Amino acid sequence: MQRPVVELVGNTLAVIFEDGLEAFLEGPDLRNASPSAERRGEADLFGNVEGGEQGKDYSQVKIINWQWVGGYAVRIYFSDGHSTGIYSYSILRQLAEQGPDSH
């Protein structure tokens, strides 16, 4: 997947993909969808998930900044200090296709 165009507009990450799909991903939605182990927890060999921040309220979380990670992802810095989630272009695409009400 090619690198999308990404721009921070207020608390919204605007993303335009190579095929023209445009997405406007809000800070709380992105924070809730963080792919990090800190957010999701970690599975052991048997599939049991330990840790994670299930059910936490991110409605007031803002996007502070973001940066490219190699040629495959972006790291987003949030107002609550979270920055360990690496959002691959594929994850951003999935979030864009799902829309804001399904995260």
Side-chain angles (χ1 to χ4, degrees), residues 69-90:
V69 176
Y72 72 97
V74 297
R75 176 187 307 268
I76 301 173
Y77 296 88
F78 295 96
S79 61
D80 67 351
H82 183 73
S83 65
T84 59
I86 304 296
Y87 296 78
S88 69
Y89 304 155
S90 296

Side-chain angles (χ1 to χ4, degrees), residues 27-78:
D29 295 327
L30 283 166
R31 179 62 177 91
N32 187 53
S34 175
S36 71
E38 178 184 347
R39 164 70 179 98
R40 301 269 179 222
E42 293 185 82
D44 64 17
L45 293 173
F46 304 104
N48 300 314
V49 177
E50 295 283 331
E53 303 173 331
Q54 306 306 319
K56 197 166 178 184
D57 178 18
Y58 301 111
S59 62
Q60 301 303 310
V61 175
K62 307 271 188 242
I63 301 171
I64 301 298
N65 205 354
W66 67 275
Q67 72 182 70
W68 296 113
V69 176
Y72 72 97
V74 297
R75 176 187 307 268
I76 301 173
Y77 296 88
F78 295 96

Side-chain angles (χ1 to χ4, degrees), residues 11-33:
N11 195 36
T12 302
L13 197 69
V15 185
I16 303 173
F17 296 92
E18 62 188 287
D19 64 356
L21 174 66
E22 294 183 11
F24 301 94
L25 304 169
E26 301 293 329
D29 295 327
L30 283 166
R31 179 62 177 91
N32 187 53

